């Protein structure tokens, strides 16, 4: 027996033969038997960019909300986890702090889980603790709820006040990842403990390929969390810009894509002939105006992979202390340059990709486009002793730098249930400054011995805790709201990104409802609520039976309806009609809203038609409320005579009362 899950759901993790697993799966009362798979991590200014300031960031800046973070652990000594001005730990908290970690009134829990990982990879070396030796977990936790730290910076760059979205919230850390790997068995054990400990929000920046919901550890744990009133916020993954790539897509999860903010890092390279080329990087090294010899890796390395600075292809004698020009597209040639003693890296992209994100490297470096790379090599080949030097990294901020979906952010549609739009929302996940473990390699290369208390990294892993912090902020104003209500508030108040920008061209498939607006979400006007029974009916509608569903449900009595309803009947704050077999459409979908604003309010419908001959009608066109908490239903009807095969058609409907705009996206596409 590896684990017995008994506190909040019934199950266990054990080593079984295929025959034993098959026999067990046929027993009455067994929902599913599935292998423990490995999940992977989805790896300052962002809160100001979102409009969250110290003046408007919540009831006591988090109001004693407890955020549980599943990740690589925590560096408890980080100043981001100081407990200045915090009162006593809430009496309802039942969590634990491992003996090796000194918790406080801010960091109120720290546990670790390794049995599943060790079953797969063997015993871990050294002492097992919740302490973070990677950095990822410390980073995500501080984004969500870090205490304000003045003068935070990464080797002098992006200097300012680093803080989380809900700095008054408490943090409970559940270390389920060792390196980049996270075992399903460990993740489920963390869910079991976290729900008993008393967390209010869960933040999980890890994932794997989409699969049956009852074989997905995060979907299973998230369903039980939802029944306990806990919203599980998850990252969408880093496999963009391809479509059908989004991870963590169960409807009761809050799935987050990544966007840029109004900040850009540029590092110029100056050549000996006076030419200069602007690249992107976060250069944490002191350049000291030093010139270095310039060399092309393909001219001095071994084999065809040498021009990409492949491992083992570079000779120290040929590149020592020189700036090396490498081709590539995976952002990891710096390790080879570092190990061979090189003095720097000019990384030339093999494709014309206009990426917005900058990365730090284990040597002084910059990334240039294909055209500029050709010019650099032309100079290197034109003179006997070519030289170059890096100029200091420049940080630009301002409104002219527009937010876009990150190139790496995974897009929809939803592979399991296309009629549930995923991802749900987008949040900053590019070049985010946050706390770091001093034992974690700052550029992901262990031979890089620099130590930093803050780091700048990118990924949907960074976007996820932005939403976790925003959820905590909203919950501090509305502690009685359900997980679905909290989710709805953030989705319907989100800011739509400009689809004219090429990175936003996938629209709602890339950013869901839009960019989070945490302040607006505290007063959404209307919400789309969903109960555990509603989700159970959804599972019936995608062909799970009542026996299977009953194992997941906390309620004692439940039956699937004899007549199956369409998947899109779930009261979701968006509508997706995907993989349509025919080129025409004629459907009526019911939605229900709850008034959470002024008791006497009248909302009027506004529609943006998706195009492609798809017409949308909302009935009734007006909703009148006479009390807070009152519910009203309406129909969204979609009609089309011809839908093209090669387009995703996007529209929306809104409810407006003169103060609130409650927006929901509509996405329609035909099966390709």
């Amino acid at each position: 027996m590896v684990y017995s899950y008994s506190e909040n759901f019934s199950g266990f993790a054990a080593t079984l033969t295929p025959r034993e697993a098959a026999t067990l799966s046929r027993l009455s009362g067994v929902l599913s038997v599935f292998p423990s798979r490995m999940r992977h991590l989805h790896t300052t200014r962002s809160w100001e960019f979102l409009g969250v300031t110290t003046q408007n960031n919540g009831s006591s800046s988090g109001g004693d909300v407890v955020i549980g973070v599943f990740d690589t652990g925590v560096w408890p000594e980080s100043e981001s986890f100081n407990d200045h001005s915090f009162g006593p730990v809430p009496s309802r908290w039942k969590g634990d702090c491992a003996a090796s970690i000194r918790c406080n009134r801010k960091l109120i829990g720290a546990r670790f889980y390794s049995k599943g990982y060790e079953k797969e990879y063997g015993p871990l070396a050294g002492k097992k603790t919740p302490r973070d030796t990677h950095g990822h977990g410390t980073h995500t936790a501080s984004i969500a709820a870090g205490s304000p730290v003045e003068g935070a910076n990464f080797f002098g760059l992006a200097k300012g006040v680093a803080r989380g979205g809900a700095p008054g919230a408490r943090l409970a850390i559940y270390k389920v990842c060792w390196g980049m790997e996270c075992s399903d068995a460990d993740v489920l054990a963390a869910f079991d403990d976290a729900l008993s400990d008393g967390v209010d929000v869960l933040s999980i920046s890890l994932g794997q390929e989409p699969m049956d919901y009852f074989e997905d550890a995060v979907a299973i744990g998230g369903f039980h969390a939802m029944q306990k009133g806990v919203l599980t916020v998850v990252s969408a993954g880093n496999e963009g810009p391809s479509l059908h790539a989004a991870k963590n897509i169960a409807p009761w999860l809050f799935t987050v894509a990544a966007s840029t903010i109004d900040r850009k890092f540029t590092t110029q390279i100056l050549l000996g002939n006076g030419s200069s080329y602007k690249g992107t990087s976060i250069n944490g090294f002191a350049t000291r105006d030093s010139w270095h010899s310039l060399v092309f890796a393909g001219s001095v390395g071994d084999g065809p992979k040498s021009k990409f600075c492949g491992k083992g292809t570079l000779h120290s004698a040929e590149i020592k202390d020189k700036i090396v020009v490498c081709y590539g597209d995976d952002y990891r040639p710096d390790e080879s340059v570092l190990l061979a003693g090189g003095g720097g890296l000019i990384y030339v992209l093999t494709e014309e990709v206009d990426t917005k994100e900058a990365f730090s490297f284990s040597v002084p470096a910059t990334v240039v486009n294909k055209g500029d790379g050709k010019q650099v090599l032309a100079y290197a080949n034109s003179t006997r002793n070519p030289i170059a030097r890096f100029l200091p990294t420049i940080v630009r901020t301002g409104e002219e730098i527009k937010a876009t979906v990150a190139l790496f952010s995974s897009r929809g549609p939803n592979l399991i249930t296309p009629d549930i739009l995923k991802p749900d929302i987008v949040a900053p996940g590019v070049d985010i400054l946050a706390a770091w473990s001093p034992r974690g390699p700052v550029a992901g290369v262990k031979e890089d011995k620099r130590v930093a208390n803050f780091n700048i990294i990118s990924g949907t892993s960074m976007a996820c805790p932005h939403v976790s912090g925003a959820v905590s902020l909203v919950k501090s104003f509305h502690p009685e709201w359900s997980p679905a209500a909290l989710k709805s508030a953030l989705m319907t108040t989100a800011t739509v990104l400009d689809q004219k920008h090429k990175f936003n061209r996938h629209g709602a498939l890339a950013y869901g409802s839009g960019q989070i607006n945490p302040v607006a979400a505290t007063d959404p006007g209307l919400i789309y609520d969903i109960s555990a029974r509603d989700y159970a009916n959804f599972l019936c509608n995608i062909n799970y039976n009542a026996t299977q569903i009953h194992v997941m449900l906390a309620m004692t009595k439940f039956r699937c309806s004899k007549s199956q309803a369409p998947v899109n009947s779930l009261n979701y704050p968006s509508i997706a009609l995907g993989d349509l077999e025919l080129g025409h459409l004629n459907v009526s979908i019911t939605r229900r809203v709850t008034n959470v604003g002024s008791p006497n309010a009248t909302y009027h419908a506004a529609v943006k038609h998706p195009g492609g001959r798809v017409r949308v009608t909302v009935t009734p066109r007006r909703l009148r409320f006479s009390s807070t908490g009152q519910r009203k239903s309406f129909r969204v009807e979609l009609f089309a005579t011809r839908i093209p095969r090669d387009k995703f058609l996007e529209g929306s409907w809104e409810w407006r009362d003169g103060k609130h705009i409650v927006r929901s996206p509509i996405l329609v596409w035909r099966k390709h």
Side-chain angles (χ1 to χ4, degrees), residues 493-511:
T493 58
T495 303
V496 182
L497 300 186
D498 182 6
Q499 285 194 36
K500 293 178 182 178
H501 194 287
K502 60 183 177 180
F503 283 9
N504 298 336
R505 69 185 185 277
H506 292 133
L509 288 174
Y511 54 67

Side-chain angles (χ1 to χ4, degrees), residues 56-65 168-169 472-473 475-478:
N56 64 15
N57 67 344
S59 173
S60 302
S61 302
D64 278 345
V65 175
S472 301
L473 169 66
K475 190 173 180 66
S476 72
F477 282 92
H478 306 284

Side-chain angles (χ1 to χ4, degrees), residues 361-654:
F361 295 88
S362 56
V363 294
T366 195
V367 180
V368 298
N369 63 41
K370 190 176 182 180
D372 288 348
K374 285 182 178 180
Q375 296 300 317
V376 171
L377 284 177
Y379 162 70
N381 293 327
S382 69
T383 181
R384 180 172 296 182
N385 296 304
I387 57 174
R389 72 180 178 91
F390 295 101
L391 299 181
T393 295
I394 296 173
V395 184
R396 289 196 305 116
T397 59
E399 292 183 0
E400 72 278 4
I401 304 174
K402 301 298 183 183
T404 67
V405 179
L407 187 68
F408 59 74
S409 186
S410 292
R411 273 74 167 165
N414 186 326
L415 273 176
I416 304 300
T417 43
D419 286 358
I420 298 295
L421 181 61
K422 291 287 180 170
D424 291 306
I425 206 160
V426 70
V430 173
D431 299 335
I432 304 301
L433 176 74
W436 194 252
S437 166
R439 292 188 187 174
V442 295
V445 178
K446 65 180 180 180
E447 289 80 10
D448 180 5
K449 301 303 181 183
R450 292 176 297 162
V451 174
N453 293 320
F454 290 86
N455 201 356
I456 301 172
I457 59 175
S458 300
T460 54
S461 281
M462 286 65 253
C464 171
H466 275 91
V467 174
S468 306
V471 169
S472 301
L473 169 66
V474 177
K475 190 173 180 66
S476 72
F477 282 92
H478 306 284
E480 76 285 0
W481 280 7
S482 70
L486 295 167
K487 182 175 171 179
S488 171
L490 281 156
M491 289 175 67
T492 60
T493 58
T495 303
V496 182
L497 300 186
D498 182 6
Q499 285 194 36
K500 293 178 182 178
H501 194 287
K502 60 183 177 180
F503 283 9
N504 298 336
R505 69 185 185 277
H506 292 133
L509 288 174
Y511 54 67
S513 294
Q515 176 95 280
I516 60 168
N517 185 342
V519 177
T522 62
D523 181 21
L526 305 174
I527 56 169
Y528 294 81
D529 212 351
I530 307 175
S531 67
R533 184 176 291 275
D534 293 331
Y535 285 120
N537 286 325
F538 160 81
L539 293 171
C540 293
N541 295 332
I542 58 173
N543 298 318
Y544 291 102
N545 62 52
T547 302
Q548 293 174 304
I549 296 167
H550 189 266
V551 176
M552 290 276 279
L553 278 175
M555 62 187 72
T556 56
K557 293 182 179 180
F558 177 79
R559 289 183 180 180
C560 287
S561 173
K562 291 181 180 179
S563 58
Q564 196 174 57
V567 172
N568 54 45
S569 63
L570 184 69
N571 196 41
Y572 218 66
S574 61
I575 288 177
L577 292 168
D579 287 347
L580 297 171
E581 295 284 353
L582 302 175
H584 60 266
L585 176 66
N586 189 1
V587 299
S588 178
I589 299 169
T590 299
R591 287 290 185 265
R592 181 184 65 253
V593 288
T594 303
N595 179 28
V596 294
S598 301
N600 297 302
T602 300
Y603 285 82
H604 298 270
V607 168
K608 179 183 177 183
H609 300 288
R613 299 189 180 181
V614 178
R615 306 298 294 174
V616 178
T617 303
V618 175
T619 307
R621 301 280 297 175
R622 183 174 61 187
L623 298 177
R624 284 183 173 175
F625 296 92
S626 57
S627 63
T628 302
Q630 187 178 6
R631 297 180 178 183
K632 295 278 187 178
S633 295
F634 61 94
R635 296 190 312 277
V636 180
E637 297 169 320
L638 296 97
F639 176 80
T641 56
R642 189 175 68 186
I643 301 173
R645 287 186 181 275
D646 57 346
K647 289 186 178 180
F648 291 89
L649 305 175
E650 183 175 336
S652 64
W653 81 90
E654 297 174 349

